[in-house]
Structure formats: structure tokens, C-alpha cells
């Protein structure tokens, strides 16, 4: 498949941001991760002092054939119900988007039922849900290519409307199961180390889920050297779509704030297809879902927040947006030692 | 000394907030610490769905006689220089306050030099810096009472102007040394486990600092059962002032967002004087300074952020303010399962 070229971070702008941080009226390095973040963003945007105006949350929804195996605490009808809740502004992601001053784009990548027409809903439906990965591939390789391409197109349309940073979000009953399978495929860790209780499975449910993931991996044998194969065999439409969003954003030098467990699985797909995506990613948080830490380690990213979140929708990514803005405000607005007449370290 | 009465958190409002969280369109508990925070705030304000409008950062400045022992990487003149930087809007705390939509009150609790008159500077100077705690008490017991009382009055004046939440901040060259001494006095841990590099000491400087703290504790023998004794013997004017702010805020049912190492030492003083302060405290972050974790554990609070900050000024506390607001927006604005027509857990 034809993937876009992703530029390297701009080293000169990073050096310039780093040098400026060291002249600001504070002990060098004393703003820790805020300083690192401002330097990363300078490299991403190719500007010595970048600024973020347009914040966009892309929430992708899809259903999963594997729910037939009883891997979720909620029924599949909740996927379209929650999409309607997003469209009506009543979900957690709507609340947090308003707080963060971000707009939301909701995309139907493969909800199992027909969604009513709504001006706020972008329909890029590949199929009415994936097939049951416990008995065969979740989707065809052509469908996997199609979802990646759709994700790239969705983010490119948002960039055309104005987008400085994209936060990723997901909705799809059952989608911690394919996400855990993706993580197990890439990291080689056993599903029991990665799968968690999702929306609230009991212990018997968790055992069942682990067994289903083991079966999906045994039946499909996804090739960890081939991201598209992993996506097709044990992925999901919204997961692949989000991977496309990440690839498309990076190709246009936009920062990507990666939400929790599902978005991190999407990031693993994106990075396996295009390793150059990685420096554009900012991990928003460490989710409560079991193996998220293993996935973040595999990506080599350090999450900003650790709030025991396990909701998805982009909630963690959206909570992190003010931190990015704060890091850039520091770089832009603080006085230097010279400007403020403050003595430097003795 | 005469300390105000601090009410318990309102259990009925906490139960109501908890019950409401469980009806909102998300798996129960899936917003983790945001949910806990909203419940704590409901208890603090005594409202089932509170809201935060007025956010105030109180930054207290003071100097420290112990800098004569060479415990800081920066010269003492930086304390008044940074106070001027605050007044001119060029410091990190100014930038972050603007981002958070908070106002700042700067208080001279005991800067070593006379500060120029400025409408933005509140002068509650107890003395031009503490005495050198390595050779005797940092202040008298009467001065310790005076700074606590001043802190209570400062926050009460802010409450009269309109204050829903207070974030604490500090400025005082050398003040990680008394803060570490306070922590060692209360926890019984050796200074070597608690003291850190502050604004950037080298290893020899850190060794010297640890020895100075050991000497201050040996010379003064602060009594950990008597918070005022600890403050007087090894504390600081800004540290005691911040303890007063915390006590005063709690007495008026206002949430206190505690910044890093110095503010946490102030919180230890406050809680030792008035244990009922504790549930009003929200620990903003885990600082990079060595023993901060020990101090947070002693208080029994879990920090929200972990960004390797070591600047003070209230920067970490101010970064945490949007998280408090987000937690309350979730409680206030999210749709319930009933309202949104979303099916509940099977």
C-alpha cells in the first residue's frame, strides 16, 4: 500500500527551543517534562516557538465480531447508542472537549448497524463490524488497507479545516479484545499479561477473554513483521482508522496525542507500518487496563498522566491537551534572565 | 495559639456525587481519579455538584538565614529579583496562571531586603529572612504563630474577594533546606533520604546541604509532636505562611491544591497543627526533589501529576487546576444512561 512520506523532526528548531528554555528565569531543566514536551513540539512543527490553536479530537467507532464470544460486559447495541450520545454532546468526551476548547469529529468506521444521518457524523463504514477473529481474520487485507487510507483522508480533511494537534479516541464494544491481541502479537507477551477487564468483566469473563485472544492468535498467526497483517487478522476498523489518522497527521507535521489502550494499539499498527510516526506521538496517559504499560514500553513512549482511566473515547488524550499548551506558553511567554534582571546560578 | 475550627467533609454530598457518577454514560469507575476528585470536591464544598469559578494562586516569598551555609546554587538576591519578575508577569507561574485563568497574589513574608511598593505585592514581612537554623532556631515561637496567622488572614482576604480554590506557591532561595528539615523532623527519615539538589547543587553541594540539615536538627531538636516547634526551629516564613493559607482555606471549605516540595512541607506543618486540614488537600504533583515521595506518603496523599518539576512558585499546582475543573464538568454535564438511552452493563 502507498503510505505517505513522514519527515524527521526539525533538529534545528529543537535545538533552538532547548537553548531558549535554558535562558528562561528558572533553574535549567526545572520544568521537567514541560520542557521536553515544548522541545518535541518545536521539532514536530518545525518552528522554534510553535503555538497550538486548533485542537481536534477524532473519535472513530466500530464493532467487533468477537463480541459473540462474550468478551464484553456491555451489549453491542451500546456502540451506536454511544455514537448518538457523542452526537448529542452528552458523553465524557464531549464534556472534556468543551473544557479543552477542542472540536470533535466522529467517524463511523464500521458500526454494526446503520446509523441515522447526522451532520456531525462522518460515515466511512467499511463493513457492519469485523468478523469474529476467534474463528478467522477480523477483516481482509484489502479492508485493512482501506481503513488505514480512510484514517489518512479523515485527518487530511481536518487539517484542511484547520488542525494543529489531533487527539485520538475510540468507541467500540469489545475493542479491548482486538487491542490486546494486537499488543500480544507485536510484543510476544502472553495475552494473560495484557488483557484486562475492559468495561468491567468479572474474573470468569476475563479468563474467557484471555482464552479468546489466545485462540485468535493461534487461528490467525498474525505476522508481527507485517502491521497490515496484524490489523487484518486481529484488529478492528476503528483501530486501523486511528492508525491512519496518526500516519496522516505525522506526514503533515502535526502532533498526535494518543489516548489509552485502544489508541495505543492503533499506534503500534501505525509505527509498525511507518516507524517515522513515532516522534510525532505524545502518550496522554497510562490506562488502568492491564497491559497498557507493556504497549507503551514497546513503543518507547512515556505517558503524561496516570489517572486509572479506562474509558477511551479520547478522554485521556483530551485531558492532556492543556499540558501541551502550557508547555508552549512557557516557551513563548516566560522572561529570560537578561530581560528580567535575575542573577544566574552562582 | 488560636486556630480555626475545620469542618469535616460533607459525607452526604460525597455520597450523592458518587451515586451520580455511577449513573453517567460510562462504565462505573472508568474515569478513575477524575471521579475520586469530583467526589472529594463535593465533600469539600458541601455541594452535590460543585463548580469552581475563582482560582487563586498564593505565592509566598521569604529568605533563609541558612543560605550562609552554602546550601543553594543561586545567590540570595534572586528571591527579590524573582518577586519582581512575578510582579512583572514574566515568571513561569505568571504564564501558567494565565493559561489556567487564575489570579496570583504575591506575599512578602520575609524577603531579606526591602521590596519596592507595588500594588500587586502584599507585604506581611515578619523579619528580613529567618536566622541560620544551623546554629539556632530559624525564628521565635511568637514569629511562627505570627506567620501562621498571617497566612490565615491572607487567604481570608482572598476568600472575601472571591476564591473557590487556592493553589499554593513559594519563592525563597534556600528553601528546600528547611523543607527537607521539616520532612526529616516529622517522618524521622534521615536528611540524606530527603534532601535533593534543589535549584541545581552539585554532589559536593548536596553533601554540604545534608550535613547542614543534620546539624540544624541536632542543634534545635524540633519536637515532631509540636508543629509550631518544628516551624520555629527549622522552618521558614513563606512555609509557615502557606501552612496558614491551608488552614484558613480548609476552615472556609475551600479546596487547596498543594504544589511541590516546599508546599508539601507547609502541608505537613498545617496537618500537624490541624489534622482536619488533610481532606481539603489535593497534591498536585510528585516533584523531582528527592524525598518528596516520603512526604506525600506521610501525609497520605497521592499526587496527580509526575512531571519531574522542581521549580516551585505554584507551577505544579497551577498545572493541576484544569484537572479539577474537568472532574467537576464531568459530574455536572455528562448525560446519564437514562437521559441518553444507553443500555447498561449486561
Amino acid at each position: 500500500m502507498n503510505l505517505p512520506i513522514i519527515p524527521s523532526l526539525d533538529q534545528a528548531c529543537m535545538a533552538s527551543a532547548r537553548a531558549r528554555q535554558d535562558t528562561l528565569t528558572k533553574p535549567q531543566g526545572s520544568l521537567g517534562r514541560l520542557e521536553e514536551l515544548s522541545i518535541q513540539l518545536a521539532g514536530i512543527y518545525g518552528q522554534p516557538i510553535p503555538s497550538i490553536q486548533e485542537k481536534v479530537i477524532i473519535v472513530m467507532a466500530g464493532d467487533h465480531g468477537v463480541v459473540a464470544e462474550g468478551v464484553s460486559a456491555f451489549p453491542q447495541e451500546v456502540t451506536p447508542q454511544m455514537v448518538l450520545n457523542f452526537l448529542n454532546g452528552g458523553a465524557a468526551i464531549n464534556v472534556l472537549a468543551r473544557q479543552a476548547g477542542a472540536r470533535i469529529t466522529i467517524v463511523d468506521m464500521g458500526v454494526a448497524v446503520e446509523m441515522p444521518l447526522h451532520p456531525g457524523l462522518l460515515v466511512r463504514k467499511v463493513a457492519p463490524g469485523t468478523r469474529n477473529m476467534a474463528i478467522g481474520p477480523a477483516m481482509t487485507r484489502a479492508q485493512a488497507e482501506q481503513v488505514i487510507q480512510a484514517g489518512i483522508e479523515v485527518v487530511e480533511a481536518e487539517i484542511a479545516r484547520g488542525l494543529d494537534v489531533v487527539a485520538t479516541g475510540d468507541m467500540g464494544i469489545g475493542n479491548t479484545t482486538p487491542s490486546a491481541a494486537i499488543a500480544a502479537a507485536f510484543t510476544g507477551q502472553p495475552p494473560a499479561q495484557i488483557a484486562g477487564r475492559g468495561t468491567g468483566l468479572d474474573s470468569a469473563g476475563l479468563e474467557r477473554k484471555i482464552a479468546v485472544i489466545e485462540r485468535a492468535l493461534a487461528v490467525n498467526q498474525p505476522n508481527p513483521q507485517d502491521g497490515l497483517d496484524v490489523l487484518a487478522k486481529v484488529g478492528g476498523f476503528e483501530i486501523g482508522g486511528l492508525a491512519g489518522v496518526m500516519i496522516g497527521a505525522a506526514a503533515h507535521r502535526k502532533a498526535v496525542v494518543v489516548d489509552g489502550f485502544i489508541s495505543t494499539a492503533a499506534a503500534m499498527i501505525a509505527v509498525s507500518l511507518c516507524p517515522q510516526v513515532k516522534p510525532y506521538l505524545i502518550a496522554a496517559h497510562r490506562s488502568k487496563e492491564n497491559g497498557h504499560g507493556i504497549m507503551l514500553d514497546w513503543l518507547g513512549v512515556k505517558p503524561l498522566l496516570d489517572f486509572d482511566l479506562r474509558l477511551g473515547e479520547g478522554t485521556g488524550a483530551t485531558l492532556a491537551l492543556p499540558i501541551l499548551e502550557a508547555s508552549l506558553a512557557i516557551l513563548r511567554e516566560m522572561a529570560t534572565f537578561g530581560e528580567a534582571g535575575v542573577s544566574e546560578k552562582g
Side-chain angles (χ1 to χ4, degrees), chain A residues 83-107:
Chain A
V83 170
L84 289 176
N85 197 16
F86 299 154
L87 294 169
N88 292 329
I93 189 60
N94 302 102
V95 175
L96 296 178
R98 289 192 289 269
Q99 288 293 116
R103 71 174 191 268
I104 310 181
T105 289
I106 301 155
V107 190

Side-chain angles (χ1 to χ4, degrees), chain A residues 18 20-36 39 337 345:
Chain A
R18 188 177 290 112
R20 181 169 165 80
Q21 283 286 5
D22 288 349
T23 67
L24 300 176
T25 44
K26 57 180 170 54
Q28 287 188 10
S30 62
L31 283 177
R33 296 206 64 196
L34 283 193
E35 298 191 24
E36 291 168 21
I39 293 163
F337 280 99
K345 191 171 157 183

Side-chain angles (χ1 to χ4, degrees), chain A residues 126-331:
Chain A
V126 174
T130 55
R131 282 171 293 179
N132 181 353
M133 70 177 192
I135 52 178
M139 66 187 86
T140 65
R141 192 170 174 96
Q143 285 175 324
E145 290 197 15
Q146 186 186 340
V147 290
I148 296 282
Q149 193 57 46
I152 294 172
E153 288 168 15
V154 166
V155 78
E156 285 185 335
E158 290 301 324
I159 291 168
R161 285 174 70 190
L163 175 154
D164 296 317
V165 57
V166 60
T168 65
D170 70 284
M171 180 68 223
I173 292 301
N175 67 7
T176 57
T177 296
S179 298
I182 289 167
F186 282 122
T187 65
Q189 295 290 314
Q193 292 300 311
I194 293 171
R197 292 174 189 273
T199 51
L201 284 177
D202 59 16
S203 295
L206 177 57
E207 287 307 307
R208 189 166 57 239
K209 179 175 172 177
I210 291 166
V212 166
I213 296 167
E214 288 168 346
R215 207 153 84 233
L217 293 170
V219 165
N220 289 293
Q221 298 286 329
N223 173 7
Q225 305 309 315
D226 179 355
L228 215 52
D229 190 62
V230 174
L231 173 60
K233 286 175 171 168
V234 297
F237 297 136
E238 80 281 41
I239 298 170
L242 290 172
V245 165
M246 295 175 193
I247 292 167
H252 292 272
R253 306 196 78 107
K254 304 301 179 189
V256 178
V257 185
V258 179
D259 196 40
F261 197 72
I262 283 80
S263 285
T264 304
M268 294 173 88
I269 299 281
V271 167
S272 79
L273 293 172
C274 297
Q276 311 93 318
V277 165
K278 208 204 101 180
Y280 290 86
L281 304 181
I282 295 158
H285 74 111
R286 181 184 307 275
S287 145
K288 197 173 170 65
E289 191 72 358
N290 221 15
H292 194 211
I294 293 171
M295 297 159 74
L296 294 167
D297 288 347
W298 184 87
L299 279 170
V301 292
K302 197 175 150 194
L304 287 168
L305 306 174
D306 188 356
F307 285 178
D308 288 340
L309 306 178
R310 52 182 175 81
L311 177 55
E313 300 180 4
T315 48
T318 305
L319 274 175
L321 290 174
I323 298 162
L324 275 66
E325 293 179 294
S327 80
L328 294 181
I330 288 288
L331 189 63

Side-chain angles (χ1 to χ4, degrees), chain A residues 46-102:
Chain A
Q47 295 168 15
I49 308 181
S51 90
I52 288 173
Q53 306 295 334
E54 299 284 335
K55 296 155 273 178
V56 182
I57 305 155
I58 297 181
V59 184
M60 294 191 150
D63 273 312
H64 298 272
V66 73
V67 296
E69 307 291 334
V71 290
S72 177
F74 281 81
Q76 192 171 53
E77 69 205 33
V78 169
T79 304
Q81 288 170 348
M82 282 301 298
V83 170
L84 289 176
N85 197 16
F86 299 154
L87 294 169
N88 292 329
I93 189 60
N94 302 102
V95 175
L96 296 178
R98 289 192 289 269
Q99 288 293 116

